[in-house]
Amino acid sequence: MVTRAKRNNATSLRPVDELETARRILAEADSIVSFSGAGLSAESGIPTFREAQHGYWAKHDPYRLASPDGFAADPKLVVDWYNHRRNILSAAVPNPAHRALGGRSDLIHITQNVDNLLERARASAVLHLHGRIWIDRCNRSCGYEEAVDLAAPPDRRDCPRCGSPMRPAVVWFGESLPDAVWRESTVAAANADVLLVVGTSAVVYPAAGLIDVARQGGAVIVEVNLEAASPGAHISLTGPAGELVPRLLNP
Ligand code: OAD
Ligand code: ZN
């Protein structure tokens, strides 16, 4: 059981083997929260945002594809782009990092990712800060929403309940995060013994602010990334999530 004193000791840790130290801290922790970004799904073939600056993001103006204005201006372009991403997701499978996280029913999972790979790896109660790409919802928020077939998603269409356009249930530039998800995520981060930060550049707020919330709550921040990205991390493990996360979490 990681006590507050031990947790604080972690801040002065100069571990010989950081992975072993992180493993031990995680094994002793009562409350572990995972906080993930696109790097968690990269090994499943889902392009990350920063990579994709040279990929499909570069082909299109991100603002035109992921904003209410862009959707109002050309709903078909936006729906076609999300359906392209849905097709990529339909062919993807959870990688060993998703499976290691999903196999731990004692963890709370907060993710910036809109994919359902954690759910498909049996994670329960995933908090999606930026929405869920496998769901369509009414743009006028009449409350109508429905899951789509990722392999054959519907073209642009109108809400069957109120006639407004239907759109992917994701958070766009300029939109706020879902209230209840944000509230639940900040409470979980503030009370965590360990925040396991996996595959995020930690540059998009308010989501990235959860790292500070957890640190101020006394959590040990363990980061897994190809490069050190979270300045607030106590332990920063460099390597692919698919290799490191199972080694951290599996007995
Ligand atoms: P980014 O593309 O900004 O960052 C991906 C991070 O994952 C980088 O730090 C990479 O080094 C790391 N990474 C890549 N492959 C990895 C691997 N195999 N194992 C471990 N780490 C790996 O994606 P996010 O941080 O998720 O917002 O971006 C945050 C938000 O920016 C997204 O949610 C999206 C975007 O604007 C919205 O859609 C609202
Ligand atoms: Zn509607």
Side-chain angles (χ1 to χ4, degrees):
M1 201 288 263
V2 176
T3 61
R4 189 165 287 276
K6 275 193 193 158
R7 284 205 298 233
N8 292 337
N9 282 350
T11 56
S12 54
L13 265 181
R14 290 181 47 75
V16 175
D17 177 346
E18 288 203 324
L19 187 128
E20 194 37 48
T21 304
R23 255 182 58 77
R24 184 171 47 74
I25 290 171
L26 284 158
E28 292 172 354
D30 284 336
S31 158
I32 303 171
V33 174
S34 78
F35 173 56
S36 54
L40 171 62
S41 298
E43 290 157 84
S44 297
I46 310 285
T48 67
F49 287 88
R50 292 330 170 247
E51 266 167 8
Q53 303 290 2
H54 315 292
Y56 50 78
W57 274 97
K59 285 185 208 130
H60 304 284
D61 168 3
Y63 190 79
R64 268 169 51 81
L65 290 171
S67 69
D69 304 348
F71 182 66
D74 191 343
K76 181 170 175 4
L77 174 73
V78 173
V79 169
D80 287 354
W81 185 65
Y82 276 90
N83 285 349
H84 160 69
R85 290 175 62 189
R86 284 165 165 169
N87 290 157
I88 293 173
L89 178 55
S90 68
V93 294
N95 64 52
H98 293 112
R99 291 201 299 273
L101 290 167
R104 290 287 299 267
S105 57
D106 57 320
L107 268 62
I108 295 174
H109 302 294
I110 302 170
T111 189
Q112 299 168 93
N113 298 341
V114 294
D115 67 55
N116 60 354
L117 292 171
L118 275 171
E119 285 83 353
R120 285 160 57 189
R122 292 184 300 110
S124 52
V126 181
L127 294 165
H128 284 270
L129 294 171
H130 293 160
R132 300 166 296 163
I133 200 171
W134 69 95
I135 306 280
D136 257 356
R137 73 166 177 82
C138 172
N139 190 40
R140 206 176 70 184
S141 306
C142 77
Y144 187 83
E145 64 174 42
E146 63 179 5
V148 303
D149 173 355
L150 290 171
D155 291 330
R156 204 208 82 63
R157 60 187 171 134
D158 292 330
C159 173
R161 186 181 291 171
C162 74
S164 303
M166 290 290 280
R167 53 164 284 177
V170 298
V171 176
W172 280 336
F173 290 117
E175 292 185 323
S176 44
L177 275 56
D179 277 344
V181 171
W182 177 247
R183 268 198 311 277
E184 207 174 325
S185 300
T186 47
V187 169
N191 292 298
D193 289 325
V194 182
L195 186 77
L196 180 55
V197 181
V198 182
T200 180
S201 56
V203 294
V204 173
Y205 285 77
L210 289 176
I211 298 171
D212 302 329
V213 168
R215 193 178 163 107
Q216 280 149 28
V220 174
I221 313 295
V222 177
E223 173 187 49
V224 171
N225 197 308
L226 297 181
E227 59 191 10
S230 306
H234 296 108
I235 298 179
S236 202
L237 303 172
T238 304
E243 180 209 319
L244 293 182
V245 174
R247 289 174 63 190
L248 284 171
L249 292 181
N250 292 347

